Amino acid sequence: MSLPKSVKTALSSLDPQTVKTYRREPRSSQKSLVFGFILWLLFGFHYLYLRRAGTQFFFWITLGGFGVWWILDLLRLPGLIRNHNHNAARVLLAQHLQFTQIP
């Protein structure tokens, strides 16, 4: 996974040991594009996978925008997952920095 520029910049200003520790931490909140497409194709659960329950509800009650929204999500899904993963990387870095700076 590529890291967002803001995370790369923050990591470049840290000592190598801290960077190594950050990169070793599990990234359980990272989402897979392949699994996202499987959920999109089979069940239309892709928004729940990205932890967007409200959007998922509206997707369901409109039947995927009567099919239009469902087809558009085919094109949008890579960007949605990339944005989710970038935000998760930022949150992980913020949490890591908060815990490493506590005396």
Side-chain angles (χ1 to χ4, degrees), residues 13 15 26 35 58 72 85 87:
S13 66
D15 64 280
F35 192 65
F58 286 113
L72 289 176
N85 289 341
N87 288 337

Side-chain angles (χ1 to χ4, degrees), residues 62-81:
T62 64
L63 300 174
F66 301 107
V68 175
W69 189 2
W70 188 76
I71 292 170
L72 289 176
D73 280 350
L74 172 65
L75 303 173
R76 294 182 58 228
L77 196 55
L80 292 170
I81 290 178

Side-chain angles (χ1 to χ4, degrees), residues 3-37:
L3 295 172
K5 187 175 181 178
S6 60
V7 171
K8 288 179 184 177
T9 302
L11 288 175
S12 69
S13 66
L14 299 174
D15 64 280
Q17 184 60 37
T18 303
V19 173
K20 195 181 285 188
T21 303
Y22 170 79
R23 292 189 183 271
R24 270 196 315 246
E25 288 185 16
R27 292 193 168 62
S28 61
S29 60
Q30 299 296 311
K31 302 300 180 188
S32 161
L33 182 59
V34 172
F35 192 65
F37 273 122

Side-chain angles (χ1 to χ4, degrees), residues 35-96:
F35 192 65
F37 273 122
I38 290 170
L39 289 174
W40 166 83
L41 180 63
L42 297 177
F43 310 110
F45 283 101
H46 52 293
Y47 286 109
L48 279 181
Y49 180 56
L50 296 173
R51 298 181 182 168
R52 297 174 77 177
T55 305
Q56 185 68 61
F57 174 75
F58 286 113
F59 182 83
W60 281 337
I61 65 170
T62 64
L63 300 174
F66 301 107
V68 175
W69 189 2
W70 188 76
I71 292 170
L72 289 176
D73 280 350
L74 172 65
L75 303 173
R76 294 182 58 228
L77 196 55
L80 292 170
I81 290 178
R82 183 178 48 252
N83 288 341
H84 174 85
N85 289 341
H86 281 192
N87 288 337
R90 288 183 189 103
V91 168
L92 181 64
L93 179 63
Q95 289 172 348
H96 182 75

